[in-house]
Every structure is written in structure tokens, then in C-alpha cells.
Amino acid sequence: PRSAPPTNSPAPVAPPRVPISLRPAEEGDTTIDGQPDPIVELCLVDWNPYWKAPHLYGKYKVLLQSNRCFAGGRGLSSGTARKETTGRRRTRRLSELKAKALAAGTALTPSGFIFHMSRVGSTLAANILSSAPQRLVYSEGFRMPSCARDWCSREQKVDMLRDLVLYGFGASSSHQALYFKFQSAISTEMDLLLEAFPSTPWIFMYRSPLQIMQAWEGDNSFAGAPCTRSQRNPPAAVCRILREAGIGNCRTASPAQYCAASLARMADTALGAHRRDLDAASAGGKSHGLLLDYSTMPGAALPPPPGGESGGTYAGAMPKHVGLLPWLEEPTTAERQRRGARAGRAATAVLSPRDAAAMHGTADQYSKQGHGSSAKKGLFSGALAKHDRDKDERASGGVLEATRGILEKRHALLQEGSKRSLELALAQARRDGPSAPRVLVF
């Protein structure tokens, strides 16, 4: 994977050909050494509209639709894929993409992953990250590679996942940093992604579970909520959580109960990753995760405000964690003499004023703003707290009962983990001493 030279120019980026769908690898779909070799469908995508107005393309699929990537049909059929498709689309084996990217030196290592519980401000976080032309940000639309009838091993799945990220999604000659904001369901598979990229900084965004449940319940009693899609074929982990809560049959659980258990599964996965971070840090290694509460948004996703104001405990936590800013400011001469030369990271490389302004400007835009009287533009900087309190007061009895019984303790653990993960990040910065941000700034 490459590291591109820095540039100060906001010139438009050349459109990369990026994955839009992926077929599970059949047992015969292998490379010479037996590695699963799925067929990937690609589309030529103009990324310039996205970074110029991220809130208009809050999800990857919206950008693909604007580039006519689904014209003539969406996704790969189960039949034999053609080598070339018409227009902007074409199909390739994953091994072909890998060979081409390695030969051209166009494989970007991911600089950050964003996992989340749904309705937690993750789209806003992705939009803020995507507001510079040199940062390639995928906001959902990622599909985990798989093998038909699950014939491949875990090790093969991890290798296939790593190749897809590096040589499929990361194969761009025009970008300098790669980020992913995954759909909430992938949070339950974050272990595979962290195994494939153990050094990539990751963030898990969460929120008061009652607020998520209320948003899912909406006006249609969970109809169409993402949490209900798997209830006909429920994951074993969700059924276990329901059994532990005294609900024996997960197929006949109420929508509120099933959705609460689905959120609990996401929380358990993130807490497990956080515990491994704690273990690594206690053994002298590095932690790479950060748990972020929705209540810290949008300040946590933005460069700290100018003028010496801190902006709160979590101000700038996301850009710092994914390498766009140093965790600690350059200490004064007196502080260095008092605390030692390795008291903090040098802040010599920071986001340019143009980039910081673009990030702050994006924070005022809301991707799910709706139309007319339902528009929510400016929600994140306006009546957020009151809006959420009102939703708590309107929660139905079933939602309250399911949330308290299944999610209350997990939410408390996430809050505790959020404080601890921030402490670890700061402690590592002090231990490592002066260091420039990991990612090029613009």
C-alpha cells in the first residue's frame, strides 16, 4: 500500500472505478493457491460532487445512483458474469484487481473505520471527513465478502476482506487517505475487519438506546426498521441475548424486544473490541479504538475551535484519532522544562484553514433533512438536546421495557468505555512523544 505525496491544491480528483456489488465466491472460484476469488462489479464514479457537498450524498448508494451505476439493472446476477458490462460498469475477479493495483501502486491502507449502532450521527461524521478532495470516504454501501454455503475458513475470509478493501475500494491514484463508515449491521462483524487491519484506528459511535429505539419505532411500530430484517432467520447471538432476558423464542419476540437485542449484540461486539484494546494497552501495546457518544457530536468530529477554547473534553476526538490532527498541542517551553521534552505531540502539521472551514461548514448540513416543514437542517447545532428529551417522553411502554431490560447496563458500560478509550489515546500520545499526524493534511 502506498503513501502519496502531499498536495496543497484542491484540484478535482480523477474518478476511480470502485466496487458496487460482490458475488459470494463459489467453491470453484479460487486462485491458484486456493484463495477465494469472488467476482466484483465496478463502476466509474465521479467523486467530486461528494466532497464539494457531502450532505447531498449522505450514503454511498446516492453517489452511485447519480453516476448511473445501476442503469440497466442493479447488482450481479447469479449467472456467469461477463468480463465487461456496458457504460460505466465492468466486472473483474478480485485477484485481477489485486494484481492491477499492486502493479500501479494504487492501494490505499485505510486510515480509519467508523462503526455505529444506527441513528447516532455517523453519517454526519462521514460527511465531515469527506469534505476534502484527497480523502476517499465510503459512507455505507460496503458488503462483507463471503463464500457460498460458507465453504471457506475464517483465515480465508480475512484475507479476502483485506484484498477487497485494499485493491477494490482503496485502488485510487487520486486520493491520499481512505475511510469507511459502515452500515450499522457490520458492527457485529467488526472483529473480522479489525483482524484484517489491526493497526487501523476505529471508532464506535453509540447513543442512548432509548433514543435509537424511539427513532426505529417511529410512526409505524418498527415497520421497515433495519433491526427487524433478520427476525425470520435470527442470528444465534440475538437469540441468546433474548433468552438471557427471559424471552424464549426470538422469532415470536415483539419488534421492540428483537430490536433491543439487535442493539445489544452491536454493543457487545464493540465492548469486546474495547476490552481487547485495554488488554493490549496493559501489556505495553497500543489501543486503536475510541467509543464516542452521540451527545459529543458534532464537536467530536470537528477540529477544535480557534482562539484557545477547548470546545469540551471530546472536541476534535475523531480527526485526532484517525490521524488528521495531533492528540496533544505543542507544549510551551515552561511546560517542557517542567514535564520533560516528551510531554506532548508537536502540532506542526495541522489541518489547513480551508480544510478546517470545510469540515465546520459541513457540520451545519443534515443529510436526512427531508422537505418542507419536516426539514431538519441545523439539528446538530440547534435543538438537539430538547429534541431527544421529547422523544424519550414519547417512548411507548414496550420500548421502555425492552430498553431497560436488555440495554441499560450495556449503555452504562459504553459510557464507561468512552471515557477509558479517550484516556488511553491521550496516555499513548504522552508516551509516544512528539509526532506528526499519521495522515497527510490539506
Side-chain angles (χ1 to χ4, degrees):
R2 66 184 175 86
S3 177
T7 177
N8 293 319
S9 171
V13 295
R17 225 175 263 280
V18 295
I20 61 172
S21 61
L22 180 73
R23 187 194 303 169
E26 300 286 343
E27 289 192 57
D29 295 339
T30 59
T31 59
I32 295 175
D33 59 359
Q35 177 65 19
D37 195 16
I39 294 173
V40 184
E41 186 170 23
L42 308 148
C43 184
L44 190 67
V45 174
D46 181 4
W47 225 262
N48 293 296
Y50 182 32
W51 69 261
K52 291 178 180 178
H55 65 288
L56 299 180
Y57 305 89
K59 291 188 178 180
Y60 181 46
K61 67 178 182 181
V62 179
L63 183 63
L64 297 182
Q65 289 167 347
S66 71
N67 280 269
R68 296 183 55 79
C69 289
F70 302 129
R74 180 171 181 170
L76 291 165
S77 66
S78 59
T80 302
R82 293 175 292 173
K83 179 77 172 181
E84 299 272 352
T85 56
T86 59
R88 307 173 70 89
R89 287 158 51 179
R90 44 177 77 167
T91 57
R92 293 289 186 270
R93 291 282 182 186
L94 182 56
S95 60
E96 294 178 87
L97 299 181
K98 181 176 181 178
K100 182 179 179 181
L102 288 174
T106 56
L108 284 168
T109 300
S111 297
F113 293 146
I114 297 176
F115 304 98
H116 61 99
M117 294 178 77
S118 179
R119 304 299 183 96
V120 295
S122 61
T123 299
L124 178 68
N127 288 351
I128 290 171
L129 273 179
S130 68
S131 59
Q134 295 91 341
R135 291 196 290 268
L136 179 58
V137 181
Y138 291 93
S139 185
E140 303 195 9
F142 183 88
R143 300 204 176 192
M144 298 288 282
S146 62
C147 294
R149 295 169 293 281
D150 206 28
W151 65 267
C152 53
S153 66
R154 180 183 177 91
E155 182 181 2
Q156 289 175 316
K157 289 179 182 177
V158 170
D159 289 343
M160 185 167 48
L161 175 59
R162 186 184 300 111
D163 287 351
L164 179 65
V165 169
L166 290 173
Y167 311 118
F169 288 93
S172 172
S173 61
S174 301
H175 295 88
Q176 297 172 357
L178 174 66
Y179 298 95
F180 290 87
K181 189 271 284 192
F182 300 104
Q183 50 266 54
S184 58
I186 288 183
S187 296
T188 62
E189 300 183 83
M190 63 188 293
D191 290 352
L192 282 173
L193 281 152
L194 300 184
E195 187 174 338
F197 297 97
S199 298
T200 294
W202 59 271
I203 292 170
F204 181 78
M205 299 183 69
Y206 68 97
R207 181 182 187 179
S208 162
L210 185 59
Q211 294 166 4
I212 300 174
M213 292 282 287
Q214 181 66 22
W216 276 352
E217 184 182 35
D219 298 324
N220 300 308
S221 300
F222 293 96
C227 53
T228 61
R229 294 171 189 165
S230 64
Q231 191 164 8
R232 290 186 178 181
N233 187 25
V238 173
C239 294
R240 175 185 55 77
I241 291 167
L242 286 168
R243 285 197 302 273
E244 291 172 353
I247 302 163
N249 191 332
C250 52
R251 286 186 175 84
T252 59
S254 71
Q257 292 168 337
Y258 189 84
C259 288
S262 297
L263 280 179
R265 183 188 177 202
M266 297 179 200
D268 288 348
T269 307
L271 288 167
H274 172 61
R275 283 191 292 270
R276 289 190 293 275
D277 256 11
L278 294 178
D279 292 342
S282 63
K286 286 195 172 186
S287 66
H288 298 281
L290 185 66
L291 309 183
L292 275 184
D293 192 320
Y294 176 74
S295 64
T296 67
M297 292 291 285
L302 294 168
E309 299 178 8
S310 67
T313 303
Y314 289 88
M318 184 185 76
K320 291 173 182 177
H321 190 63
V322 300
L324 292 174
L325 287 171
W327 266 109
L328 300 176
E329 293 299 320
E330 176 75 21
T332 65
T333 302
E335 287 173 335
R336 282 187 175 278
Q337 290 174 346
R338 184 172 67 252
R339 293 157 50 194
R342 294 174 62 82
R345 293 189 177 201
T348 54
V350 296
L351 292 168
S352 69
R354 184 193 68 245
D355 196 351
M359 295 173 79
H360 278 272
T362 300
D364 292 333
Q365 308 296 324
Y366 190 58
S367 286
K368 302 171 185 177
Q369 57 187 304
H371 303 282
S373 60
S374 66
K376 299 179 182 179
K377 182 178 178 181
L379 176 64
F380 285 96
S381 58
L384 174 61
K386 182 179 185 304
H387 177 79
D388 285 341
R389 283 197 303 271
D390 290 346
K391 288 206 302 185
D392 286 353
E393 293 168 0
R394 296 196 306 268
S396 66
V399 167
L400 286 170
E401 182 180 357
T403 302
R404 289 169 179 166
I406 297 174
L407 288 164
E408 203 166 64
K409 291 182 179 179
R410 289 175 169 91
H411 181 61
L413 290 173
L414 286 171
Q415 289 180 307
E416 180 184 338
S418 181
K419 297 175 184 177
R420 186 71 184 106
S421 63
L422 183 64
E423 291 170 356
L424 279 176
L426 291 169
Q428 285 179 177
R430 296 187 183 101
R431 182 191 67 194
D432 294 346
S435 174
R438 295 181 300 272
V439 177
L440 295 171
V441 294
F442 317 111

